[in-house]
Amino acid sequence: MMYEVRDLRLSFPDMAHKPLIGAAPRLEVLKGLSFDVPKGAVLGIVGGSGSGKSTLGRAMLRLLEPTGGTISFDGTDITHMGEDQLRGMRKRFQMIFQDPMSSLNPRRRVGGIIAGPLRLQGLDGLTGRVDEALDMVGLPRGFAQRYPHELSGGQRQRVGIARAIALRPDFILADEIVSGLDVSSQAQVLNLLGELVRDLGLTLAFISHDLSVIRRLCDRVLVLHHGEVVEEGATAALFDAPQAAYTRELLGAIPLPDPHQTWG
Amino acid sequence: MRDARGEVKRPIGLRLWLSGGWLALLVLAALCAPLIAPNDPLMQDLFLGRMPPFWMDGAEPGFWLGTDSLGRDVLSRILYGARLALIVALVAGTLTCLVGATLGLIAGYYRGWPDRIISRFVDIWMAFPPVLFAILLIAVLGPGLMSIIIAIVVIDWTRFARVIRAEAMTQGAMDYVASAQVAGRTRFGTMLTEILPNVLPTIVALLTLEMGVAVIVEAILSFVNLSISTDSPTWGGMIAEGRTSVHQAWWVLVFPLITLFLTVLSFSQLGEGLKDRFDPVLR
Ligand SMILES: Nc1ncnc2c1ncn2[C@@H]1O[C@H](COP(=O)(O)OP(=O)(O)OP(=O)(O)O)[C@@H](O)[C@H]1O
Ligand SMILES: [Mg+2]
C-alpha cells in the first residue's frame, strides 16, 4: 500500500470560541478516517466545501500533524515524524496546489522554482532535470527564464506539475488543481496529468468537488462529509450504485455528461 | 506566444532620477566638504555678519548663500551639515531597519509565542510619546552622535516591526511557502529564501523613509539643542539660529530648510521608486 490511514483525527483550536481565560475548544475537522491508497491507484477525494478534503491532504503530506490515529506511507509510520526525519522522505510524496499564482513564488523564475526542490533534495544535473520536467509538461524550455506572472493560468499550473514530478515522487496529491482554470485549460491540464500518472507509474490522490472529472480520471473514490468517510469504492461501482445517502445526494445534484466522451 | 508583459521594461523614471540625483549630490558634498566648501564653516567674522546671497545687492563675493549673524558662510555650513545628516540617516536608518525588520519577520512568520512576545512588546513600546521618549533618552545618555542614533533606533524600530510582521503574515499564508515545506526546506530557510525576498521591497521603502525620518529627528534634536556639540554645523542647529533673525536675514533659515526638505522628500521618493523597481510583476 502507498498509504494506510487508520482512524485519522485532526482538530484545530477554535479561536472564535476561545473563552477569555483558558484553552480554546477544539474544532474537529477530521473525525476518524480510515482508508487505503493502493500503489498505482488514482484516488478521487470528493466532498462538499469544508468537509475536510484539503486538511486530509495536508495531513497525508505531513504539512499538518494529526491529533489522533495513524498514517503510514509505504509501510513507514509518518504520523508524528519530526520535520528532520520527514525531510529525507519528502521527495517521495509531492503536491500540486490549487492556486498556481500563490503556489509559485513571484520573485523566482520558473527554472528556479522547479530547481529549488531538486537542489534541496541534493540532486545534481539541475538544468537537465528542469529541461526534462518542462518537456514532460509540454512547456518550451525557454520558459525557465520567465517569471510566473508572465504565464497564463494553465501554463502556471503546468509549472506546478513540473515542480512536483521533477523529483520523481511515488505519490502526488493534487488539490483542486483545475478549479481556477478556464474549461479548455482544465481539459488540457487533466489530460496531461492522466498521461503523466500512466507514464511515470505515479500514485495520485485527486481532490475535487467536480464529480465528472473524478469519474474520468480516478479508479477509486473516497466520499467525505463533515470530516468522515461516508463511502469508498471503485469509481464505476460507486457511480452506478451509490450506497450512502450523501453520495446519492452529491450524484443527484451534479448533471453527469457521457462518461465515454473524451476531452478535447 | 511571448506576450508583451515580459518585454516591457519601464524607464527608471523621473522620480528615481531626481531623488537619487539629489542624494548622490549630497553624499558627494558630505565626502568632499573640506575640498569644495568655499569657507571654513566655523570661522566667524562679525564684519561679514548677515551678508545676503550672491544675487542680491551687498553680497560678499565667495559667500554664495550669504552669512549668518556671526559672519559664518551658510553654504559651507550646509555642506558640512550634510555629513552629520547622512551619517545619522545611514547608521540610524540601517540599525532601525535591522532590529525592526528582523523582529517583524520572526513574529509574522513564526507566529505563536514569538509573535505574542514581540507584539506585546511593540504595543507597550508604542504607548510612550516618541518625542518625549527621545528627549528623555538623550537627557540620560547625554548629547552626542551615538545618543541620537540610539534614540532613533529605540523609538522607530516598532514601525518596521509592525509593517513587516503584517507583510510576513500575508506571505506566510501563500501556497508557495507550503510548497517549500513540501520540498523539505527548513522553516528558517523558508523565511530567508521565500518570505524575505517578497518583503524586501517593503523593507527598502521603509528603510529609505526611515533615513528621511532620521534626518528630521536629528534636525529636531539639534533645534532643541540636544544634538551634537553646538559648534559642529547641523541643519537643525542652523534652522534654530536662522529662526531668530528671519526678518533681517531670511537666507540663514531658508537654505538649510530647503536642503532638509529636499533630502527628506528624496529619501521617501527613492524608497517608493525602488519598491516598484524591485517588483518583477511591475517591472
Ligand atoms: N488552520 C485552520 N484553523 C482552523 N480551522 C481550520 C484550519 N484549516 C481548516 N479549518 C477548518 O476545517 C474545515 C475543513 O477545511 P478544509 O479546507 O479541509 O475543507 P475542504 O474540504 O478542502 O473545503 P473546500 O472544498 O472549500 O476547499 C473548515 O471548516 C475550515 O474552516
Ligand atoms: Mg480545500
Side-chain angles (χ1 to χ4, degrees):
Chain A
M1 286 292 158
M2 197 85 266
Y3 270 102
E4 286 168 75
V5 176
R6 292 290 171 273
D7 193 32
L8 177 65
R9 291 168 188 280
L10 204 146
S11 60
F12 295 107
D14 185 0
M15 287 306 175
H17 296 104
K18 184 187 179 317
L20 214 53
I21 298 161
R26 307 293 295 188
L27 189 74
E28 296 280 331
V29 176
L30 303 180
K31 304 168 186 166
L33 312 183
S34 300
F35 60 92
D36 290 335
V37 187
K39 279 189 181 154
V42 178
L43 174 74
I45 301 177
V46 279
S49 187
S51 56
K53 304 183 295 295
S54 298
T55 306
L56 169 62
R58 281 168 191 252
M60 286 168 75
L61 288 200
R62 280 304 318 281
L63 293 177
L64 293 170
E65 185 172 353
T67 37
T70 57
I71 302 176
S72 73
F73 174 80
D74 200 10
T76 312
D77 185 348
I78 59 168
T79 320
H80 301 289
M81 212 180 240
E83 198 54 55
D84 287 339
Q85 268 178 295
L86 277 170
R87 194 155 302 124
M89 301 188 67
R90 283 215 176 271
K91 72 161 174 285
R92 301 189 57 199
F93 40 89
Q94 284 295 304
M95 174 162 180
I96 310 168
F97 293 84
Q98 170 170 2
D99 173 11
M101 198 67 241
S102 101
S103 70
L104 307 180
N105 189 336
R107 286 177 199 284
R108 287 254 170 89
R109 291 173 200 272
V110 166
I113 288 172
I114 299 174
L118 298 172
R119 197 177 293 122
L120 274 174
Q121 294 292 336
L123 299 172
D124 50 10
L126 295 184
T127 323
R129 287 177 193 269
V130 169
D131 285 346
E132 195 187 7
L134 286 171
D135 292 347
M136 283 199 286
V137 297
L139 289 177
R141 292 182 173 185
F143 272 40
Q145 298 309 316
R146 297 232 195 153
Y147 285 100
H149 73 273
E150 298 173 284
L151 310 181
S152 74
Q155 290 168 340
R156 277 181 226 149
Q157 202 52 294
R158 284 166 192 262
V159 173
I161 297 174
R163 169 172 61 191
I165 59 168
L167 283 166
R168 292 300 154 87
D170 301 319
F171 172 82
I172 287 186
L173 173 83
D175 188 354
E176 306 264 17
I177 61 165
V178 294
S179 60
L181 305 179
D182 63 76
V183 179
S184 79
S185 329
Q186 278 191 1
Q188 287 174 13
V189 166
L190 288 169
N191 275 342
L192 171 69
L193 190 65
E195 280 168 31
L196 287 171
V197 165
R198 196 161 12 93
D199 296 349
L200 301 175
L202 290 169
T203 306
L204 178 74
F206 187 86
I207 296 177
S208 178
H209 53 250
D210 187 342
L211 284 167
S212 56
V213 168
I214 296 255
R215 187 172 198 180
R216 288 194 184 114
L217 190 68
C218 306
D219 40 49
R220 296 189 68 77
V221 187
L222 185 75
V223 183
L224 278 191
H225 185 46
H226 292 320
E228 285 171 297
V229 177
V230 294
E231 187 162 0
E232 201 223 335
T235 308
L238 189 132
F239 275 79
D240 288 343
Q243 300 299 310
Y246 179 71
T247 315
R248 280 198 290 273
E249 199 181 305
L250 269 185
L251 290 175
I254 295 160
L256 288 175
D258 176 9
H260 304 294
Q261 174 196 336
T262 50
W263 284 314
Chain B
M1 278 244 11
R2 185 155 183 113
D3 59 28
R5 279 176 297 174
E7 302 287 1
V8 175
K9 281 261 189 240
R10 294 197 313 170
I12 289 194
L14 207 58
R15 177 155 82 168
L16 263 184
W17 274 115
L18 286 180
S19 57
W22 172 259
L23 292 173
L25 217 65
L26 217 57
V27 170
L28 211 68
L31 289 177
C32 311
L35 296 177
I36 56 175
N39 294 289
D40 179 342
L42 302 178
M43 194 183 67
Q44 303 184 6
D45 185 342
L46 293 181
F47 292 109
L48 287 176
R50 291 183 188 154
M51 291 291 168
F54 68 92
W55 68 86
M56 287 172 63
D57 288 339
E60 184 72 19
F63 296 86
W64 295 98
L65 299 182
T67 59
D68 65 11
S69 49
L70 296 176
R72 294 174 298 190
D73 181 26
V74 170
L75 176 61
S76 301
R77 288 176 70 73
I78 289 181
L79 292 176
Y80 273 90
R83 300 184 134 188
L84 189 75
L86 287 181
I87 287 176
V88 171
L90 288 178
V91 178
T94 309
L95 286 180
T96 313
C97 174
L98 278 180
V99 174
T102 306
L103 290 175
L105 201 58
I106 291 172
Y109 177 57
Y110 281 87
R111 311 181 104 167
W113 61 263
D115 182 28
R116 279 199 292 279
I117 293 174
I118 292 169
S119 293
R120 196 59 45 83
F121 214 55
V122 168
D123 289 343
I124 295 171
W125 215 257
M126 299 216 329
F128 291 107
V131 174
L132 207 67
F133 202 7
I135 291 176
L136 205 75
L137 254 170
I138 304 234
V140 173
L141 296 171
L145 187 59
M146 263 335 270
S147 310
I148 299 180
I149 291 172
I150 291 174
I152 292 172
V153 175
V154 159
I155 293 164
D156 259 358
W157 69 272
T158 52
R159 182 207 314 268
F160 281 82
R162 278 189 327 150
V163 176
I164 300 304
R165 170 182 177 268
E167 188 94 348
M169 241 176 211
T170 316
Q171 296 298 331
M174 295 283 188
D175 279 343
Y176 68 78
V177 174
S179 156
Q181 197 189 345
V182 168
R185 208 181 272 289
T186 59
R187 271 179 80 66
F188 188 69
T190 305
M191 184 173 84
L192 291 188
T193 60
E194 309 287 326
I195 308 270
L196 184 58
N198 279 286
V199 297
L200 202 58
T202 309
I203 292 182
V204 169
L206 276 180
L207 172 63
T208 51
L209 199 67
E210 185 59 39
M211 289 181 173
V213 170
V215 171
I216 291 187
V217 170
E218 190 275 316
I220 291 175
L221 291 174
S222 300
F223 189 84
V224 297
N225 234 332
L226 277 174
S227 185
I228 324 295
S229 65
T230 38
D231 48 318
S232 71
T234 63
W235 295 345
M238 294 175 76
I239 292 168
E241 287 158 15
R243 196 177 52 113
T244 58
S245 61
V246 65
H247 297 296
Q248 302 88 31
W250 54 266
W251 51 88
V252 184
L253 173 69
V254 167
F255 289 123
L257 205 58
I258 292 178
T259 314
L260 180 70
F261 173 76
L262 286 179
T263 306
V264 175
L265 187 71
S266 294
F267 271 124
S268 73
Q269 291 304 306
L270 184 74
E272 285 301 312
L274 282 180
K275 184 176 178 173
D276 291 354
R277 291 291 296 170
F278 258 100
D279 195 333
V281 182
L282 292 176
R283 187 162 56 189

mmCIF file of all heavy atoms in Angstrom, chain B residues 43-75:
data_model
loop_
_atom_site.group_PDB
_atom_site.id
_atom_site.type_symbol
_atom_site.label_atom_id
_atom_site.label_comp_id
_atom_site.label_asym_id
_atom_site.label_seq_id
_atom_site.Cartn_x
_atom_site.Cartn_y
_atom_site.Cartn_z
ATOM 1 N N MET B 43 34.349 79.607 10.914
ATOM 2 C CA MET B 43 35.044 80.889 11.016
ATOM 3 C C MET B 43 34.044 82.042 11.162
ATOM 4 O O MET B 43 33.151 82.216 10.349
ATOM 5 C CB MET B 43 35.913 81.124 9.790
ATOM 6 C CG MET B 43 36.900 82.251 9.966
ATOM 7 S SD MET B 43 37.821 82.523 8.462
ATOM 8 C CE MET B 43 36.543 83.106 7.368
ATOM 9 N N GLN B 44 34.215 82.778 12.241
ATOM 10 C CA GLN B 44 33.327 83.914 12.473
ATOM 11 C C GLN B 44 34.028 85.195 12.061
ATOM 12 O O GLN B 44 35.236 85.320 12.196
ATOM 13 C CB GLN B 44 32.956 83.991 13.951
ATOM 14 C CG GLN B 44 32.318 82.725 14.458
ATOM 15 C CD GLN B 44 31.870 82.841 15.892
ATOM 16 O OE1 GLN B 44 31.930 83.919 16.490
ATOM 17 N NE2 GLN B 44 31.404 81.742 16.454
ATOM 18 N N ASP B 45 33.246 86.103 11.545
ATOM 19 C CA ASP B 45 33.793 87.424 11.206
ATOM 20 C C ASP B 45 32.648 88.409 11.333
ATOM 21 O O ASP B 45 31.780 88.507 10.482
ATOM 22 C CB ASP B 45 34.346 87.408 9.782
ATOM 23 C CG ASP B 45 35.035 88.727 9.452
ATOM 24 O OD1 ASP B 45 34.765 89.735 10.181
ATOM 25 O OD2 ASP B 45 35.816 88.757 8.497
ATOM 26 N N LEU B 46 32.646 89.114 12.453
ATOM 27 C CA LEU B 46 31.491 89.958 12.747
ATOM 28 C C LEU B 46 31.320 91.077 11.730
ATOM 29 O O LEU B 46 30.244 91.637 11.568
ATOM 30 C CB LEU B 46 31.583 90.507 14.164
ATOM 31 C CG LEU B 46 31.460 89.405 15.227
ATOM 32 C CD1 LEU B 46 31.519 89.979 16.617
ATOM 33 C CD2 LEU B 46 30.156 88.636 15.032
ATOM 34 N N PHE B 47 32.422 91.399 11.008
ATOM 35 C CA PHE B 47 32.276 92.435 9.982
ATOM 36 C C PHE B 47 31.531 91.905 8.764
ATOM 37 O O PHE B 47 31.063 92.670 7.929
ATOM 38 C CB PHE B 47 33.651 92.962 9.553
ATOM 39 C CG PHE B 47 34.311 93.720 10.662
ATOM 40 C CD1 PHE B 47 35.406 93.185 11.322
ATOM 41 C CD2 PHE B 47 33.810 94.964 11.054
ATOM 42 C CE1 PHE B 47 36.007 93.881 12.354
ATOM 43 C CE2 PHE B 47 34.412 95.643 12.099
ATOM 44 C CZ PHE B 47 35.517 95.107 12.759
ATOM 45 N N LEU B 48 31.449 90.580 8.641
ATOM 46 C CA LEU B 48 30.758 89.981 7.497
ATOM 47 C C LEU B 48 29.389 89.431 7.896
ATOM 48 O O LEU B 48 28.825 88.600 7.200
ATOM 49 C CB LEU B 48 31.596 88.846 6.900
ATOM 50 C CG LEU B 48 32.837 89.270 6.117
ATOM 51 C CD1 LEU B 48 33.636 88.046 5.674
ATOM 52 C CD2 LEU B 48 32.442 90.110 4.918
ATOM 53 N N GLY B 49 28.845 89.834 9.013
ATOM 54 C CA GLY B 49 27.583 89.285 9.508
ATOM 55 C C GLY B 49 26.410 89.617 8.587
ATOM 56 O O GLY B 49 26.343 90.699 7.992
ATOM 57 N N ARG B 50 25.511 88.623 8.411
ATOM 58 C CA ARG B 50 24.264 88.785 7.656
ATOM 59 C C ARG B 50 24.451 89.332 6.248
ATOM 60 O O ARG B 50 23.725 90.243 5.813
ATOM 61 C CB ARG B 50 23.290 89.683 8.420
ATOM 62 C CG ARG B 50 22.793 88.982 9.660
ATOM 63 C CD ARG B 50 21.793 89.779 10.414
ATOM 64 N NE ARG B 50 21.510 89.122 11.696
ATOM 65 C CZ ARG B 50 21.083 89.752 12.773
ATOM 66 N NH1 ARG B 50 20.850 91.044 12.746
ATOM 67 N NH2 ARG B 50 20.860 89.085 13.884
ATOM 68 N N MET B 51 25.456 88.797 5.558
ATOM 69 C CA MET B 51 25.614 89.150 4.143
ATOM 70 C C MET B 51 24.584 88.369 3.335
ATOM 71 O O MET B 51 24.403 87.175 3.552
ATOM 72 C CB MET B 51 27.019 88.749 3.666
ATOM 73 C CG MET B 51 28.110 89.585 4.276
ATOM 74 S SD MET B 51 27.997 91.252 3.625
ATOM 75 C CE MET B 51 29.112 92.105 4.727
ATOM 76 N N PRO B 52 23.904 89.005 2.368
ATOM 77 C CA PRO B 52 22.864 88.301 1.602
ATOM 78 C C PRO B 52 23.482 87.365 0.569
ATOM 79 O O PRO B 52 24.675 87.447 0.285
ATOM 80 C CB PRO B 52 22.123 89.439 0.910
ATOM 81 C CG PRO B 52 23.126 90.531 0.803
ATOM 82 C CD PRO B 52 24.048 90.415 1.974
ATOM 83 N N PRO B 53 22.665 86.476 -0.034
ATOM 84 C CA PRO B 53 23.170 85.578 -1.071
ATOM 85 C C PRO B 53 23.586 86.334 -2.328
ATOM 86 O O PRO B 53 23.251 87.511 -2.493
ATOM 87 C CB PRO B 53 21.989 84.642 -1.340
ATOM 88 C CG PRO B 53 20.802 85.255 -0.713
ATOM 89 C CD PRO B 53 21.278 86.201 0.339
ATOM 90 N N PHE B 54 24.258 85.609 -3.244
ATOM 91 C CA PHE B 54 25.043 86.259 -4.299
ATOM 92 C C PHE B 54 24.250 87.161 -5.234
ATOM 93 O O PHE B 54 24.769 88.102 -5.779
ATOM 94 C CB PHE B 54 25.802 85.200 -5.108
ATOM 95 C CG PHE B 54 24.924 84.308 -5.927
ATOM 96 C CD1 PHE B 54 24.636 84.636 -7.251
ATOM 97 C CD2 PHE B 54 24.384 83.133 -5.392
ATOM 98 C CE1 PHE B 54 23.823 83.807 -8.014
ATOM 99 C CE2 PHE B 54 23.580 82.322 -6.154
ATOM 100 C CZ PHE B 54 23.288 82.649 -7.468
ATOM 101 N N TRP B 55 22.975 86.888 -5.427
ATOM 102 C CA TRP B 55 22.259 87.668 -6.450
ATOM 103 C C TRP B 55 21.708 88.979 -5.897
ATOM 104 O O TRP B 55 21.177 89.791 -6.610
ATOM 105 C CB TRP B 55 21.157 86.840 -7.070
ATOM 106 C CG TRP B 55 20.017 86.527 -6.138
ATOM 107 C CD1 TRP B 55 18.944 87.314 -5.899
ATOM 108 C CD2 TRP B 55 19.863 85.377 -5.323
ATOM 109 N NE1 TRP B 55 18.113 86.726 -4.986
ATOM 110 C CE2 TRP B 55 18.659 85.524 -4.615
ATOM 111 C CE3 TRP B 55 20.647 84.227 -5.109
ATOM 112 C CZ2 TRP B 55 18.207 84.573 -3.706
ATOM 113 C CZ3 TRP B 55 20.174 83.297 -4.226
ATOM 114 C CH2 TRP B 55 18.970 83.465 -3.519
ATOM 115 N N MET B 56 21.837 89.173 -4.591
ATOM 116 C CA MET B 56 21.260 90.382 -4.002
ATOM 117 C C MET B 56 22.312 91.477 -3.860
ATOM 118 O O MET B 56 23.509 91.233 -3.875
ATOM 119 C CB MET B 56 20.664 90.059 -2.628
ATOM 120 C CG MET B 56 19.365 89.267 -2.759
ATOM 121 S SD MET B 56 18.756 88.675 -1.181
ATOM 122 C CE MET B 56 18.439 90.195 -0.332
ATOM 123 N N ASP B 57 21.819 92.700 -3.713
ATOM 124 C CA ASP B 57 22.743 93.817 -3.522
ATOM 125 C C ASP B 57 23.488 93.654 -2.203
ATOM 126 O O ASP B 57 22.911 93.220 -1.205
ATOM 127 C CB ASP B 57 21.956 95.145 -3.480
ATOM 128 C CG ASP B 57 21.436 95.496 -4.872
ATOM 129 O OD1 ASP B 57 22.005 94.967 -5.855
ATOM 130 O OD2 ASP B 57 20.445 96.254 -4.955
ATOM 131 N N GLY B 58 24.755 94.002 -2.225
ATOM 132 C CA GLY B 58 25.546 93.968 -0.990
ATOM 133 C C GLY B 58 26.095 92.604 -0.673
ATOM 134 O O GLY B 58 26.621 92.386 0.413
ATOM 135 N N ALA B 59 25.981 91.628 -1.644
ATOM 136 C CA ALA B 59 26.536 90.293 -1.389
ATOM 137 C C ALA B 59 28.053 90.367 -1.376
ATOM 138 O O ALA B 59 28.660 91.179 -2.083
ATOM 139 C CB ALA B 59 26.064 89.324 -2.469
ATOM 140 N N GLU B 60 28.650 89.510 -0.565
ATOM 141 C CA GLU B 60 30.102 89.468 -0.458
ATOM 142 C C GLU B 60 30.600 88.347 -1.369
ATOM 143 O O GLU B 60 30.118 87.226 -1.273
ATOM 144 C CB GLU B 60 30.472 89.174 1.000
ATOM 145 C CG GLU B 60 31.938 89.184 1.314
ATOM 146 C CD GLU B 60 32.545 90.588 1.316
ATOM 147 O OE1 GLU B 60 31.774 91.565 1.421
ATOM 148 O OE2 GLU B 60 33.781 90.681 1.194
ATOM 149 N N PRO B 61 31.517 88.604 -2.276
ATOM 150 C CA PRO B 61 31.996 87.543 -3.167
ATOM 151 C C PRO B 61 32.560 86.375 -2.357
ATOM 152 O O PRO B 61 33.223 86.582 -1.345
ATOM 153 C CB PRO B 61 33.105 88.203 -3.979
ATOM 154 C CG PRO B 61 32.988 89.673 -3.729
ATOM 155 C CD PRO B 61 32.201 89.890 -2.495
ATOM 156 N N GLY B 62 32.286 85.169 -2.801
ATOM 157 C CA GLY B 62 32.805 83.982 -2.105
ATOM 158 C C GLY B 62 31.834 83.438 -1.072
ATOM 159 O O GLY B 62 31.973 82.313 -0.619
ATOM 160 N N PHE B 63 30.817 84.210 -0.709
ATOM 161 C CA PHE B 63 29.814 83.720 0.246
ATOM 162 C C PHE B 63 28.495 83.566 -0.510
ATOM 163 O O PHE B 63 27.624 84.420 -0.444
ATOM 164 C CB PHE B 63 29.667 84.676 1.446
ATOM 165 C CG PHE B 63 30.921 84.773 2.279
ATOM 166 C CD1 PHE B 63 31.929 85.671 1.945
ATOM 167 C CD2 PHE B 63 31.086 83.944 3.382
ATOM 168 C CE1 PHE B 63 33.095 85.741 2.703
ATOM 169 C CE2 PHE B 63 32.247 84.014 4.142
ATOM 170 C CZ PHE B 63 33.255 84.915 3.798
ATOM 171 N N TRP B 64 28.363 82.467 -1.262
ATOM 172 C CA TRP B 64 27.295 82.323 -2.257
ATOM 173 C C TRP B 64 25.903 82.408 -1.657
ATOM 174 O O TRP B 64 25.007 83.003 -2.242
ATOM 175 C CB TRP B 64 27.449 80.999 -3.001
ATOM 176 C CG TRP B 64 28.709 80.971 -3.802
ATOM 177 C CD1 TRP B 64 29.889 80.402 -3.439
ATOM 178 C CD2 TRP B 64 28.926 81.586 -5.056
ATOM 179 N NE1 TRP B 64 30.848 80.607 -4.389
ATOM 180 C CE2 TRP B 64 30.277 81.338 -5.413
ATOM 181 C CE3 TRP B 64 28.124 82.338 -5.933
ATOM 182 C CZ2 TRP B 64 30.831 81.809 -6.596
ATOM 183 C CZ3 TRP B 64 28.676 82.784 -7.117
ATOM 184 C CH2 TRP B 64 30.018 82.527 -7.440
ATOM 185 N N LEU B 65 25.721 81.781 -0.534
ATOM 186 C CA LEU B 65 24.381 81.786 0.052
ATOM 187 C C LEU B 65 24.306 82.728 1.246
ATOM 188 O O LEU B 65 23.439 82.590 2.101
ATOM 189 C CB LEU B 65 23.956 80.358 0.448
ATOM 190 C CG LEU B 65 23.896 79.359 -0.719
ATOM 191 C CD1 LEU B 65 23.432 77.986 -0.241
ATOM 192 C CD2 LEU B 65 22.978 79.856 -1.843
ATOM 193 N N GLY B 66 25.216 83.657 1.329
ATOM 194 C CA GLY B 66 25.186 84.639 2.407
ATOM 195 C C GLY B 66 25.850 84.128 3.674
ATOM 196 O O GLY B 66 26.422 83.039 3.706
ATOM 197 N N THR B 67 25.757 84.938 4.718
ATOM 198 C CA THR B 67 26.359 84.562 6.002
ATOM 199 C C THR B 67 25.328 84.754 7.102
ATOM 200 O O THR B 67 24.330 85.444 6.930
ATOM 201 C CB THR B 67 27.578 85.446 6.333
ATOM 202 O OG1 THR B 67 27.139 86.816 6.390
ATOM 203 C CG2 THR B 67 28.667 85.295 5.303
ATOM 204 N N ASP B 68 25.586 84.094 8.256
ATOM 205 C CA ASP B 68 24.670 84.264 9.386
ATOM 206 C C ASP B 68 25.095 85.447 10.237
ATOM 207 O O ASP B 68 26.025 86.184 9.881
ATOM 208 C CB ASP B 68 24.546 82.969 10.180
ATOM 209 C CG ASP B 68 25.851 82.577 10.851
ATOM 210 O OD1 ASP B 68 26.791 83.399 10.886
ATOM 211 O OD2 ASP B 68 25.938 81.426 11.335
ATOM 212 N N SER B 69 24.450 85.625 11.381
ATOM 213 C CA SER B 69 24.706 86.837 12.160
ATOM 214 C C SER B 69 26.121 86.864 12.726
ATOM 215 O O SER B 69 26.616 87.923 13.092
ATOM 216 C CB SER B 69 23.679 86.946 13.289
ATOM 217 O OG SER B 69 23.612 85.707 13.961
ATOM 218 N N LEU B 70 26.796 85.697 12.768
ATOM 219 C CA LEU B 70 28.172 85.688 13.248
ATOM 220 C C LEU B 70 29.160 85.749 12.089
ATOM 221 O O LEU B 70 30.365 85.611 12.288
ATOM 222 C CB LEU B 70 28.435 84.433 14.072
ATOM 223 C CG LEU B 70 27.613 84.311 15.358
ATOM 224 C CD1 LEU B 70 27.895 82.984 16.048
ATOM 225 C CD2 LEU B 70 27.910 85.476 16.289
ATOM 226 N N GLY B 71 28.645 85.894 10.867
ATOM 227 C CA GLY B 71 29.520 86.011 9.707
ATOM 228 C C GLY B 71 30.002 84.671 9.179
ATOM 229 O O GLY B 71 30.950 84.602 8.411
ATOM 230 N N ARG B 72 29.331 83.553 9.563
ATOM 231 C CA ARG B 72 29.756 82.244 9.063
ATOM 232 C C ARG B 72 29.059 81.966 7.722
ATOM 233 O O ARG B 72 27.896 82.337 7.525
ATOM 234 C CB ARG B 72 29.415 81.156 10.081
ATOM 235 C CG ARG B 72 30.218 81.311 11.363
ATOM 236 C CD ARG B 72 29.781 80.317 12.419
ATOM 237 N NE ARG B 72 28.389 80.507 12.796
ATOM 238 C CZ ARG B 72 27.825 79.896 13.843
ATOM 239 N NH1 ARG B 72 28.556 79.092 14.596
ATOM 240 N NH2 ARG B 72 26.571 80.109 14.130
ATOM 241 N N ASP B 73 29.775 81.296 6.844
ATOM 242 C CA ASP B 73 29.282 81.050 5.481
ATOM 243 C C ASP B 73 28.172 79.995 5.490
ATOM 244 O O ASP B 73 28.397 78.840 5.878
ATOM 245 C CB ASP B 73 30.457 80.581 4.616
ATOM 246 C CG ASP B 73 30.020 80.324 3.183
ATOM 247 O OD1 ASP B 73 29.020 80.951 2.753
ATOM 248 O OD2 ASP B 73 30.657 79.493 2.503
ATOM 249 N N VAL B 74 26.962 80.367 5.012
ATOM 250 C CA VAL B 74 25.810 79.464 5.053
ATOM 251 C C VAL B 74 26.049 78.221 4.175
ATOM 252 O O VAL B 74 25.806 77.093 4.594
ATOM 253 C CB VAL B 74 24.522 80.195 4.621
ATOM 254 C CG1 VAL B 74 23.375 79.204 4.430
ATOM 255 C CG2 VAL B 74 24.145 81.243 5.650
ATOM 256 N N LEU B 75 26.558 78.423 2.947
ATOM 257 C CA LEU B 75 26.776 77.295 2.042
ATOM 258 C C LEU B 75 27.741 76.282 2.658
ATOM 259 O O LEU B 75 27.487 75.072 2.671
ATOM 260 C CB LEU B 75 27.321 77.785 0.697
ATOM 261 C CG LEU B 75 27.679 76.677 -0.298
ATOM 262 C CD1 LEU B 75 26.468 75.834 -0.645
ATOM 263 C CD2 LEU B 75 28.301 77.264 -1.571
#
